[in-house]
Short mmCIF file of all heavy atoms in Angstrom, two decimals:
data_model
loop_
_atom_site.label_atom_id
_atom_site.label_comp_id
_atom_site.label_asym_id
_atom_site.label_seq_id
_atom_site.Cartn_x
_atom_site.Cartn_y
_atom_site.Cartn_z
N ILE A 63 43.69 227.48 90.12
CA ILE A 63 43.63 227.68 91.57
C ILE A 63 44.84 228.53 91.95
O ILE A 63 45.96 228.22 91.53
CB ILE A 63 43.69 226.33 92.33
CG1 ILE A 63 42.48 225.45 91.97
CG2 ILE A 63 43.75 226.55 93.84
CD1 ILE A 63 42.56 224.04 92.53
N PRO A 64 44.66 229.58 92.75
CA PRO A 64 45.82 230.39 93.13
C PRO A 64 46.80 229.59 93.99
O PRO A 64 46.39 228.72 94.76
CB PRO A 64 45.21 231.55 93.92
CG PRO A 64 43.87 231.08 94.35
CD PRO A 64 43.42 230.06 93.35
N ALA A 65 48.07 229.89 93.84
CA ALA A 65 49.11 229.18 94.59
C ALA A 65 49.69 230.08 95.67
O ALA A 65 49.81 231.29 95.49
CB ALA A 65 50.22 228.74 93.64
N LEU A 66 50.02 229.46 96.78
CA LEU A 66 50.77 230.15 97.84
C LEU A 66 52.25 230.01 97.51
O LEU A 66 52.69 228.95 97.05
CB LEU A 66 50.48 229.53 99.20
CG LEU A 66 49.06 229.72 99.71
CD1 LEU A 66 48.79 228.82 100.91
CD2 LEU A 66 48.81 231.17 100.07
N CYS A 70 55.85 229.28 102.54
CA CYS A 70 55.03 230.13 103.42
C CYS A 70 54.03 229.35 104.29
O CYS A 70 53.39 229.95 105.15
CB CYS A 70 54.31 231.20 102.61
SG CYS A 70 52.87 230.61 101.74
N LEU A 71 53.89 228.06 104.09
CA LEU A 71 52.86 227.32 104.83
C LEU A 71 53.08 227.29 106.34
O LEU A 71 52.13 227.15 107.11
CB LEU A 71 52.72 225.90 104.30
CG LEU A 71 52.11 225.77 102.91
CD1 LEU A 71 51.97 224.30 102.53
CD2 LEU A 71 50.79 226.49 102.82
N ALA A 74 50.86 229.54 108.72
CA ALA A 74 49.42 229.31 108.82
C ALA A 74 48.86 229.94 110.10
O ALA A 74 49.48 229.88 111.16
CB ALA A 74 49.13 227.81 108.81
N ALA A 75 47.69 230.53 109.99
CA ALA A 75 47.03 231.16 111.14
C ALA A 75 46.54 230.09 112.10
O ALA A 75 45.88 229.14 111.69
CB ALA A 75 45.87 232.01 110.66
N GLU A 77 44.19 230.24 114.16
CA GLU A 77 42.72 230.19 114.14
C GLU A 77 42.23 229.26 113.02
O GLU A 77 41.22 228.58 113.18
CB GLU A 77 42.12 231.59 113.93
CG GLU A 77 42.49 232.59 115.00
CD GLU A 77 43.83 233.29 114.73
OE1 GLU A 77 44.43 233.09 113.65
OE2 GLU A 77 44.26 234.05 115.60
N ALA A 78 42.93 229.24 111.91
CA ALA A 78 42.56 228.36 110.80
C ALA A 78 42.81 226.91 111.18
O ALA A 78 41.96 226.04 110.98
CB ALA A 78 43.35 228.73 109.55
N VAL A 79 43.97 226.64 111.75
CA VAL A 79 44.33 225.28 112.15
C VAL A 79 43.33 224.74 113.17
O VAL A 79 42.91 223.58 113.09
CB VAL A 79 45.78 225.23 112.70
CG1 VAL A 79 46.12 223.85 113.24
CG2 VAL A 79 46.77 225.67 111.62
N GLN A 80 42.91 225.56 114.10
CA GLN A 80 41.97 225.12 115.13
C GLN A 80 40.61 224.76 114.57
O GLN A 80 39.85 224.04 115.21
CB GLN A 80 41.83 226.22 116.19
CG GLN A 80 43.08 226.40 117.02
CD GLN A 80 43.02 227.64 117.92
OE1 GLN A 80 42.23 228.55 117.71
NE2 GLN A 80 43.90 227.65 118.91
N ARG A 81 40.28 225.20 113.39
CA ARG A 81 38.96 224.94 112.80
C ARG A 81 38.88 223.58 112.10
O ARG A 81 37.78 223.12 111.78
CB ARG A 81 38.58 226.05 111.83
CG ARG A 81 38.47 227.41 112.52
CD ARG A 81 37.81 228.42 111.64
NE ARG A 81 36.36 228.28 111.63
CZ ARG A 81 35.54 228.70 112.59
NH1 ARG A 81 36.03 229.27 113.67
NH2 ARG A 81 34.24 228.55 112.47
N VAL A 82 40.01 222.95 111.85
CA VAL A 82 40.02 221.67 111.12
C VAL A 82 40.60 220.58 112.01
O VAL A 82 41.75 220.69 112.45
CB VAL A 82 40.84 221.78 109.81
CG1 VAL A 82 40.88 220.46 109.08
CG2 VAL A 82 40.26 222.88 108.92
N PRO A 83 39.83 219.53 112.27
CA PRO A 83 40.37 218.43 113.08
C PRO A 83 41.62 217.82 112.45
O PRO A 83 41.73 217.72 111.22
CB PRO A 83 39.22 217.42 113.11
CG PRO A 83 37.99 218.21 112.82
CD PRO A 83 38.44 219.32 111.91
N ILE A 86 41.27 214.98 109.86
CA ILE A 86 40.83 215.40 108.52
C ILE A 86 41.99 216.05 107.76
O ILE A 86 42.21 215.77 106.58
CB ILE A 86 39.63 216.36 108.62
CG1 ILE A 86 38.41 215.59 109.14
CG2 ILE A 86 39.32 217.01 107.27
CD1 ILE A 86 37.20 216.45 109.44
N ALA A 87 42.73 216.91 108.43
CA ALA A 87 43.86 217.58 107.77
C ALA A 87 44.88 216.56 107.25
O ALA A 87 45.35 216.67 106.12
CB ALA A 87 44.53 218.56 108.73
N PHE A 88 45.19 215.55 108.07
CA PHE A 88 46.17 214.55 107.65
C PHE A 88 45.61 213.63 106.57
O PHE A 88 46.31 213.29 105.61
CB PHE A 88 46.65 213.73 108.86
CG PHE A 88 47.77 214.39 109.60
CD1 PHE A 88 47.51 215.39 110.53
CD2 PHE A 88 49.08 214.02 109.39
CE1 PHE A 88 48.54 216.01 111.22
CE2 PHE A 88 50.13 214.62 110.09
CZ PHE A 88 49.86 215.62 111.00
N LEU A 90 43.25 214.22 104.33
CA LEU A 90 43.10 214.93 103.05
C LEU A 90 44.38 215.61 102.59
O LEU A 90 44.45 216.09 101.46
CB LEU A 90 41.97 215.96 103.16
CG LEU A 90 40.58 215.41 103.46
CD1 LEU A 90 39.57 216.54 103.54
CD2 LEU A 90 40.16 214.38 102.42
N ARG A 91 45.37 215.67 103.47
CA ARG A 91 46.64 216.34 103.18
C ARG A 91 46.40 217.79 102.80
O ARG A 91 46.75 218.25 101.72
CB ARG A 91 47.43 215.59 102.12
CG ARG A 91 47.81 214.22 102.56
CD ARG A 91 48.66 213.41 101.64
NE ARG A 91 48.52 213.73 100.23
CZ ARG A 91 49.48 213.58 99.35
NH1 ARG A 91 50.65 213.14 99.71
NH2 ARG A 91 49.29 213.86 98.09
N ILE A 92 45.76 218.51 103.74
CA ILE A 92 45.46 219.93 103.57
C ILE A 92 46.03 220.71 104.75
O ILE A 92 46.14 220.18 105.85
CB ILE A 92 43.95 220.19 103.46
CG1 ILE A 92 43.22 219.69 104.72
CG2 ILE A 92 43.38 219.56 102.21
CD1 ILE A 92 41.76 220.05 104.79
N VAL A 93 46.39 221.95 104.50
CA VAL A 93 46.85 222.83 105.57
C VAL A 93 45.86 223.97 105.70
O VAL A 93 45.72 224.78 104.77
CB VAL A 93 48.27 223.38 105.30
CG1 VAL A 93 48.63 224.47 106.30
CG2 VAL A 93 49.29 222.27 105.33
N PRO A 94 45.15 224.04 106.83
CA PRO A 94 44.31 225.22 107.08
C PRO A 94 45.25 226.41 107.22
O PRO A 94 46.08 226.44 108.11
CB PRO A 94 43.62 224.89 108.40
CG PRO A 94 43.83 223.42 108.61
CD PRO A 94 45.08 223.07 107.90
N PHE A 95 45.13 227.37 106.32
CA PHE A 95 46.13 228.42 106.23
C PHE A 95 45.64 229.79 106.72
O PHE A 95 46.36 230.50 107.41
CB PHE A 95 46.63 228.54 104.79
CG PHE A 95 47.74 229.52 104.62
CD1 PHE A 95 49.02 229.21 105.05
CD2 PHE A 95 47.52 230.77 104.05
CE1 PHE A 95 50.06 230.12 104.91
CE2 PHE A 95 48.54 231.68 103.90
CZ PHE A 95 49.81 231.35 104.33
N SER A 96 44.42 230.14 106.35
CA SER A 96 43.95 231.48 106.71
C SER A 96 42.50 231.43 107.17
O SER A 96 41.74 230.55 106.81
CB SER A 96 44.08 232.44 105.51
OG SER A 96 43.28 231.99 104.43
N TRP A 97 42.14 232.41 107.99
CA TRP A 97 40.78 232.52 108.51
C TRP A 97 40.44 234.00 108.62
O TRP A 97 41.15 234.75 109.29
CB TRP A 97 40.66 231.83 109.86
CG TRP A 97 39.36 232.06 110.56
CD1 TRP A 97 39.16 232.70 111.75
CD2 TRP A 97 38.06 231.64 110.13
NE1 TRP A 97 37.83 232.70 112.07
CE2 TRP A 97 37.12 232.05 111.08
CE3 TRP A 97 37.59 230.96 109.00
CZ2 TRP A 97 35.76 231.81 110.97
CZ3 TRP A 97 36.24 230.71 108.88
CH2 TRP A 97 35.34 231.13 109.87
N ASP A 98 39.38 234.42 107.95
CA ASP A 98 38.99 235.84 107.99
C ASP A 98 37.61 236.03 108.65
O ASP A 98 36.93 237.00 108.36
CB ASP A 98 39.01 236.45 106.60
CG ASP A 98 37.89 235.93 105.70
OD1 ASP A 98 37.07 235.10 106.14
OD2 ASP A 98 37.82 236.37 104.53
N ILE A 101 35.63 232.89 105.80
CA ILE A 101 36.15 231.89 104.86
C ILE A 101 37.44 231.31 105.39
O ILE A 101 38.35 232.03 105.80
CB ILE A 101 36.39 232.51 103.46
CG1 ILE A 101 35.06 233.03 102.90
CG2 ILE A 101 37.01 231.48 102.52
CD1 ILE A 101 35.20 233.76 101.58
N LEU A 102 37.50 229.99 105.37
CA LEU A 102 38.69 229.25 105.77
C LEU A 102 39.50 228.96 104.51
O LEU A 102 39.01 228.32 103.58
CB LEU A 102 38.28 227.94 106.45
CG LEU A 102 39.39 226.99 106.86
CD1 LEU A 102 40.24 227.63 107.97
CD2 LEU A 102 38.80 225.67 107.33
N GLY A 103 40.72 229.47 104.46
CA GLY A 103 41.61 229.22 103.32
C GLY A 103 42.43 227.97 103.57
O GLY A 103 43.09 227.85 104.60
N LEU A 104 42.39 227.05 102.62
CA LEU A 104 43.11 225.77 102.75
C LEU A 104 44.17 225.65 101.68
O LEU A 104 43.91 225.98 100.52
CB LEU A 104 42.14 224.60 102.58
CG LEU A 104 40.94 224.51 103.50
CD1 LEU A 104 40.02 223.40 103.04
CD2 LEU A 104 41.39 224.29 104.93
N ALA A 105 45.33 225.16 102.05
CA ALA A 105 46.35 224.82 101.07
C ALA A 105 46.16 223.34 100.73
O ALA A 105 46.12 222.49 101.62
CB ALA A 105 47.74 225.06 101.63
N ILE A 106 46.01 223.06 99.45
CA ILE A 106 45.87 221.68 98.98
C ILE A 106 47.02 221.38 98.03
O ILE A 106 47.64 222.30 97.49
CB ILE A 106 44.52 221.44 98.28
CG1 ILE A 106 44.43 222.23 96.97
CG2 ILE A 106 43.35 221.79 99.20
CD1 ILE A 106 43.25 221.85 96.09
N THR A 107 47.28 220.12 97.83
CA THR A 107 48.36 219.75 96.94
C THR A 107 47.86 218.98 95.73
O THR A 107 48.58 218.80 94.77
CB THR A 107 49.42 218.93 97.71
OG1 THR A 107 50.56 218.78 96.89
CG2 THR A 107 48.90 217.58 98.13
N ASP A 108 46.62 218.56 95.79
CA ASP A 108 46.08 217.67 94.77
C ASP A 108 44.62 218.04 94.53
O ASP A 108 43.82 218.09 95.46
CB ASP A 108 46.20 216.24 95.28
CG ASP A 108 45.85 215.20 94.25
OD1 ASP A 108 45.26 215.54 93.22
OD2 ASP A 108 46.16 214.02 94.49
N VAL A 111 41.21 216.34 95.98
CA VAL A 111 40.64 216.61 97.30
C VAL A 111 39.46 217.59 97.21
O VAL A 111 38.66 217.68 98.14
CB VAL A 111 41.72 217.11 98.28
CG1 VAL A 111 42.06 218.57 98.03
CG2 VAL A 111 41.30 216.93 99.71
N LEU A 112 39.31 218.27 96.10
CA LEU A 112 38.25 219.27 95.96
C LEU A 112 36.86 218.68 96.20
O LEU A 112 35.99 219.35 96.74
CB LEU A 112 38.31 219.93 94.58
CG LEU A 112 39.54 220.81 94.31
CD1 LEU A 112 39.57 221.26 92.86
CD2 LEU A 112 39.59 221.98 95.27
N THR A 113 36.66 217.43 95.83
CA THR A 113 35.35 216.81 96.01
C THR A 113 35.05 216.49 97.47
O THR A 113 33.91 216.15 97.80
CB THR A 113 35.25 215.51 95.19
OG1 THR A 113 36.26 214.60 95.63
CG2 THR A 113 35.39 215.79 93.70
N GLN A 114 36.05 216.60 98.35
CA GLN A 114 35.85 216.26 99.76
C GLN A 114 35.84 217.49 100.67
O GLN A 114 35.80 217.36 101.89
CB GLN A 114 36.95 215.29 100.20
CG GLN A 114 36.93 214.01 99.39
CD GLN A 114 38.12 213.13 99.67
OE1 GLN A 114 39.05 213.50 100.36
NE2 GLN A 114 38.10 211.94 99.11
N LEU A 115 35.85 218.67 100.10
CA LEU A 115 35.93 219.87 100.92
C LEU A 115 34.65 220.19 101.67
O LEU A 115 34.67 220.95 102.64
CB LEU A 115 36.38 221.07 100.08
CG LEU A 115 37.81 220.98 99.56
CD1 LEU A 115 38.18 222.24 98.81
CD2 LEU A 115 38.80 220.71 100.68
N ASN A 116 33.53 219.57 101.26
CA ASN A 116 32.30 219.78 102.02
C ASN A 116 32.44 219.24 103.44
O ASN A 116 31.87 219.79 104.38
CB ASN A 116 31.10 219.16 101.30
CG ASN A 116 31.26 217.66 101.08
OD1 ASN A 116 32.37 217.14 101.07
ND2 ASN A 116 30.15 216.99 100.86
N GLU A 117 33.22 218.20 103.62
CA GLU A 117 33.49 217.65 104.95
C GLU A 117 34.26 218.67 105.80
O GLU A 117 33.94 218.87 106.98
CB GLU A 117 34.29 216.35 104.84
CG GLU A 117 34.64 215.74 106.17
CD GLU A 117 35.51 214.49 106.04
OE1 GLU A 117 35.95 214.14 104.92
OE2 GLU A 117 35.75 213.86 107.09
N VAL A 118 35.22 219.33 105.21
CA VAL A 118 35.99 220.35 105.92
C VAL A 118 35.07 221.52 106.28
O VAL A 118 35.09 222.01 107.42
CB VAL A 118 37.19 220.84 105.08
CG1 VAL A 118 37.96 221.93 105.82
CG2 VAL A 118 38.10 219.69 104.72
N ALA A 119 34.27 221.96 105.33
CA ALA A 119 33.35 223.08 105.57
C ALA A 119 32.38 222.75 106.70
O ALA A 119 32.09 223.60 107.55
CB ALA A 119 32.59 223.41 104.29
N TYR A 120 31.91 221.52 106.74
CA TYR A 120 30.99 221.09 107.79
C TYR A 120 31.65 221.20 109.17
O TYR A 120 31.09 221.77 110.10
CB TYR A 120 30.52 219.65 107.53
CG TYR A 120 29.70 219.08 108.66
CD1 TYR A 120 28.36 219.41 108.80
CD2 TYR A 120 30.29 218.23 109.59
CE1 TYR A 120 27.61 218.90 109.85
CE2 TYR A 120 29.55 217.72 110.64
CZ TYR A 120 28.21 218.04 110.76
OH TYR A 120 27.47 217.54 111.80
N HIS A 121 32.84 220.65 109.31
CA HIS A 121 33.54 220.68 110.60
C HIS A 121 33.99 222.09 110.99
O HIS A 121 33.99 222.44 112.17
CB HIS A 121 34.73 219.72 110.60
CG HIS A 121 34.32 218.29 110.71
ND1 HIS A 121 33.92 217.71 111.89
CD2 HIS A 121 34.23 217.32 109.77
CE1 HIS A 121 33.60 216.45 111.68
NE2 HIS A 121 33.77 216.19 110.39
N ALA A 122 34.38 222.87 110.00
CA ALA A 122 34.85 224.23 110.28
C ALA A 122 33.69 225.20 110.48
O ALA A 122 33.89 226.30 110.97
CB ALA A 122 35.74 224.72 109.12
N ALA A 124 32.16 226.79 108.20
CA ALA A 124 32.52 227.96 107.40
C ALA A 124 32.66 227.56 105.94
O ALA A 124 32.86 226.38 105.62
CB ALA A 124 33.84 228.54 107.89
N ALA A 125 32.59 228.54 105.08
CA ALA A 125 32.91 228.33 103.67
C ALA A 125 34.41 228.12 103.55
O ALA A 125 35.19 228.61 104.39
CB ALA A 125 32.48 229.54 102.85
N VAL A 126 34.83 227.38 102.54
CA VAL A 126 36.26 227.16 102.35
C VAL A 126 36.68 227.65 100.97
O VAL A 126 35.92 227.59 100.01
CB VAL A 126 36.66 225.67 102.53
CG1 VAL A 126 36.41 225.21 103.94
CG2 VAL A 126 35.96 224.78 101.54
N GLY A 127 37.89 228.13 100.92
CA GLY A 127 38.54 228.50 99.67
C GLY A 127 39.85 227.74 99.60
O GLY A 127 40.37 227.29 100.63
N VAL A 128 40.39 227.57 98.42
CA VAL A 128 41.62 226.78 98.29
C VAL A 128 42.74 227.53 97.60
O VAL A 128 42.51 228.41 96.77
CB VAL A 128 41.37 225.44 97.55
CG1 VAL A 128 40.47 224.54 98.35
CG2 VAL A 128 40.81 225.66 96.16
N TYR A 129 43.93 227.15 98.01
CA TYR A 129 45.18 227.57 97.40
C TYR A 129 45.98 226.30 97.12
O TYR A 129 45.75 225.28 97.74
CB TYR A 129 46.02 228.41 98.37
CG TYR A 129 45.35 229.63 98.92
CD1 TYR A 129 44.77 229.62 100.19
CD2 TYR A 129 45.33 230.81 98.20
CE1 TYR A 129 44.17 230.74 100.71
CE2 TYR A 129 44.73 231.95 98.72
CZ TYR A 129 44.15 231.91 99.97
OH TYR A 129 43.56 233.03 100.48
N LEU A 130 46.93 226.41 96.23
CA LEU A 130 47.84 225.30 95.99
C LEU A 130 49.08 225.45 96.86
O LEU A 130 49.58 226.55 97.06
CB LEU A 130 48.28 225.26 94.52
CG LEU A 130 47.22 224.83 93.53
CD1 LEU A 130 47.73 225.03 92.11
CD2 LEU A 130 46.84 223.38 93.75
N GLY A 131 49.56 224.32 97.35
CA GLY A 131 50.82 224.25 98.07
C GLY A 131 51.60 223.05 97.57
O GLY A 131 51.04 222.17 96.91
N LEU A 132 52.86 223.00 97.88
CA LEU A 132 53.69 221.86 97.47
C LEU A 132 53.44 220.66 98.38
O LEU A 132 53.33 220.80 99.60
CB LEU A 132 55.17 222.24 97.52
CG LEU A 132 55.61 223.35 96.57
CD1 LEU A 132 57.04 223.75 96.86
CD2 LEU A 132 55.45 222.91 95.12
N ILE A 136 53.50 220.60 102.49
CA ILE A 136 52.31 220.25 103.27
C ILE A 136 52.64 219.10 104.22
O ILE A 136 52.29 219.14 105.40
CB ILE A 136 51.12 219.92 102.35
CG1 ILE A 136 50.58 221.24 101.75
CG2 ILE A 136 50.02 219.18 103.10
CD1 ILE A 136 49.46 221.08 100.75
N LEU A 140 52.33 219.90 108.30
CA LEU A 140 51.20 219.34 109.06
C LEU A 140 51.58 218.85 110.46
O LEU A 140 50.92 219.23 111.43
CB LEU A 140 50.53 218.21 108.27
CG LEU A 140 49.45 218.64 107.29
CD1 LEU A 140 48.96 217.44 106.48
CD2 LEU A 140 48.30 219.32 107.98
N LEU A 143 52.16 221.89 112.74
CA LEU A 143 50.96 222.65 113.09
C LEU A 143 50.05 221.90 114.06
O LEU A 143 49.35 222.51 114.84
CB LEU A 143 50.16 223.00 111.82
CG LEU A 143 50.84 223.95 110.84
CD1 LEU A 143 49.97 224.11 109.60
CD2 LEU A 143 51.11 225.29 111.49
N TYR A 144 50.07 220.58 113.97
CA TYR A 144 49.18 219.76 114.81
C TYR A 144 49.97 219.01 115.88
O TYR A 144 49.62 217.88 116.23
CB TYR A 144 48.38 218.79 113.95
CG TYR A 144 47.26 219.45 113.20
CD1 TYR A 144 47.43 219.88 111.88
CD2 TYR A 144 46.03 219.65 113.78
CE1 TYR A 144 46.40 220.49 111.18
CE2 TYR A 144 44.98 220.24 113.10
CZ TYR A 144 45.17 220.67 111.80
OH TYR A 144 44.14 221.25 111.12
#
Side-chain angles (χ1 to χ4, degrees):
I63 298 172
L66 293 168
C70 78
L71 290 183
E77 300 86 6
V79 174
Q80 291 171 341
R81 298 192 79 78
V82 178
I86 293 173
F88 275 81
L90 298 180
R91 297 184 332 151
I92 59 173
V93 170
F95 184 75
S96 62
W97 172 244
D98 70 0
I101 298 175
L102 176 66
L104 303 172
I106 66 169
T107 190
D108 188 346
V111 78
L112 293 173
T113 60
Q114 300 172 353
L115 293 183
N116 59 338
E117 178 183 6
V118 178
Y120 173 79
H121 285 283
V126 296
V128 294
Y129 303 99
L130 288 172
L132 297 172
I136 286 176
L140 273 175
L143 294 176
Y144 285 95

